[in-house]
Amino acid sequence: MAAWSDNIRKVEPYVPGEQPKDTNVIKLNTNENPYGPSPRVAEVIQNPDLLRLYPDPTASQLVDVIAEYHGVDSSQVFVGVGSDDVLAMSFLTFFNSDKPILFPDITYSFYDVWAELFRIPYERPALDENFRLVKEDYYRENGGVVFPNPNAPTGIYENLANVEDIISHNGDSIVIVDEAYIDFGGKSALELIDKYDNLVVVRTFSKSRSMAGLRIGYAISNPILIKALNDVKYSYNSYTMNRPSIIMGTESVKDDAYFKAMVAKVVATRTRFVESIRPLGFTCLESSANFVFATHENIPAKEIFEAAKKAHIYVRYFDKPRIDNYLRISIGTDEEMDKFVEFLTGYVQSIQ
């Protein structure tokens, strides 16, 4: 093999949920919102300059409306191409110590990919037997801390007191709280931003705002950390966010009534779905997200996953230690979830 091959950076890439080409499926595997974004988003598509002009490199229109919505200054908001971009920039910007960063053993599987890509040492403290953070595991010396709240793929929410405890014990490190699913349940760490100068809260438009296809994410922190993020971003690509995303994202934030109504629909469906599958022998972890993490008392998760796929119903299965007998099931419309319950009922009865 040629000598140059030794200089190629080699990583095991993140594998997202399958995107089936067949549109005649029930797609419950990637935590997309089943309802469309605000009607105000569609209205701006008619603007003839939407694609012709370069976007504002600072995305100030979007930054300002996010800042106003959350009651912070615009200097405290950073936007990126989905929360994955924001998180990657955060890893690159804040995690540059020789000490390992810390994140849970069961969590968003992109964290270790970024750590490997950027050659950041890391350790993964184990969640307890109930899949909850052990806050004392984050008291040790480290180069930074990151965790989702609610967690993925479990959907479990850690109360704000425990989150604050981890932040307060890591005053010499940056703590990133990834709140991709916070709108579906739980109290945000945003109220701690002014209290702790080491806190970065990351959010996304992909889940609760139904805009996964546009890729909009943001971080809120203090002006010093936000400036550091922007300095890295502008050193990499000055036009990271496209113009349609800036304008459509702005309109989404302005329509708060629609946003809250759609979130409430997903939460109501989540509750109804969990109640529907319990009599079939399923146990679900308590979810504060737009998905549930479910296991059956007798039937292996992988078998259910494969049978559902044959029936054109896609859910997510993780072949990983501790969670290989669970399915992550995104919450779809009531009609989609009813069809899935109908499938599960028939499948369980055929096995037993």
Side-chain angles (χ1 to χ4, degrees):
M1 188 174 289
W4 49 257
S5 65
D6 294 335
N7 298 319
I8 295 176
R9 185 162 301 204
K10 301 175 181 68
V11 293
E12 189 70 30
Y14 169 75
V15 179
E18 185 176 354
Q19 297 287 358
K21 294 182 174 61
D22 183 3
T23 57
N24 188 30
V25 300
I26 296 176
K27 191 170 180 294
L28 308 175
N29 66 331
T30 51
N31 297 344
E32 293 146 327
N33 197 312
Y35 306 107
S38 164
R40 296 178 60 154
V41 171
E43 291 174 7
V44 304
I45 296 176
Q46 307 305 318
N47 182 349
D49 289 332
L50 194 63
L51 300 179
R52 184 179 66 82
L53 302 175
Y54 275 114
D56 170 11
T58 67
S60 60
Q61 181 181 359
L62 181 58
V63 166
D64 290 347
V65 77
I66 291 173
E68 181 180 6
Y69 185 81
H70 289 295
V72 299
D73 190 80
S74 295
S75 64
Q76 294 179 261
V77 178
F78 171 87
V79 296
V81 187
S83 61
D84 286 342
D85 179 49
V86 175
L87 287 162
M89 288 288 179
S90 297
F91 271 56
L92 193 59
T93 304
F94 302 128
F95 296 160
N96 292 291
S97 169
D98 292 332
K99 302 169 187 174
I101 64 170
L102 305 178
F103 50 85
D105 65 331
I106 299 170
T107 192
Y108 185 31
S109 53
F110 224 143
Y111 294 160
D112 56 346
V113 174
W114 286 317
E116 295 284 353
L117 177 63
F118 300 135
R119 297 177 180 173
I120 301 167
Y122 62 94
E123 294 177 2
R124 298 184 294 185
L127 299 178
D128 68 16
E129 65 277 7
N130 297 312
F131 297 111
R132 293 194 170 274
L133 287 173
V134 180
K135 61 184 181 179
E136 291 81 8
D137 287 343
Y138 295 84
Y139 292 176
R140 67 180 104 161
E141 197 171 16
N142 62 74
V145 174
V146 58
F147 57 89
N149 197 34
N151 196 10
T154 65
I156 290 177
Y157 168 76
E158 296 291 341
N159 68 63
L160 197 56
N162 284 346
V163 172
E164 182 171 9
D165 186 85
I166 291 172
I167 298 166
S168 66
H169 277 86
N170 287 280
D172 294 330
S173 303
I174 300 297
V175 178
I176 301 173
V177 182
D178 181 357
E179 293 188 340
Y181 301 100
I182 194 66
D183 294 318
F184 298 103
K187 199 172 183 182
S188 173
L190 283 174
E191 67 181 62
L192 304 174
I193 287 291
D194 292 334
K195 187 174 180 180
Y196 297 98
D197 63 4
N198 63 325
L199 172 62
V200 178
V201 177
V202 176
R203 307 284 286 271
T204 180
F205 280 49
S206 296
K207 316 301 181 185
S208 55
R209 293 193 178 276
S210 309
M211 299 177 77
L214 277 180
R215 314 305 300 128
I216 303 172
Y218 61 99
I220 295 180
S221 186
N222 63 72
I224 294 174
L225 297 189
I226 295 301
K227 181 182 183 303
L229 276 171
N230 276 313
D231 287 347
V232 171
K233 181 178 83 167
Y234 296 143
S235 300
Y236 177 74
N237 183 353
S238 60
Y239 291 116
T240 54
M241 178 163 286
N242 65 69
R243 200 159 183 268
S245 292
I246 294 171
I247 297 172
M248 294 181 192
T250 298
E251 293 305 314
S252 172
V253 176
K254 289 179 178 178
D255 197 350
D256 196 41
Y258 179 89
F259 161 69
K260 288 178 178 174
M262 294 306 103
V263 167
K265 286 180 71 172
V266 171
V267 171
T269 301
R270 182 186 71 200
T271 300
R272 192 171 69 89
F273 173 69
V274 170
E275 292 172 350
S276 297
I277 65 172
R278 277 182 180 146
L280 301 176
F282 285 92
T283 299
C284 298
L285 301 186
E286 184 178 353
S287 175
S288 295
N290 67 334
F291 60 85
V292 297
F293 209 47
T295 185
H296 193 269
E297 58 188 13
N298 298 317
I299 308 172
K302 189 173 183 180
E303 291 183 13
I304 301 172
F305 165 76
E306 292 172 346
K309 188 173 180 179
K310 289 179 181 177
H312 306 290
I313 301 172
Y314 284 68
V315 295
R316 193 80 191 268
Y317 172 71
F318 298 91
D319 190 8
K320 295 183 176 182
R322 299 185 67 190
I323 59 171
D324 60 355
N325 201 32
Y326 285 83
L327 296 173
R328 194 194 69 188
I329 304 163
S330 303
I331 300 301
T333 64
D334 284 331
E335 182 182 10
E336 288 173 328
M337 303 315 290
D338 287 346
K339 288 181 178 178
F340 187 41
V341 171
E342 182 181 353
F343 160 78
L344 290 174
T345 301
Y347 183 72
V348 170
Q349 290 175 349
S350 71
I351 296 295
Q352 295 177 338

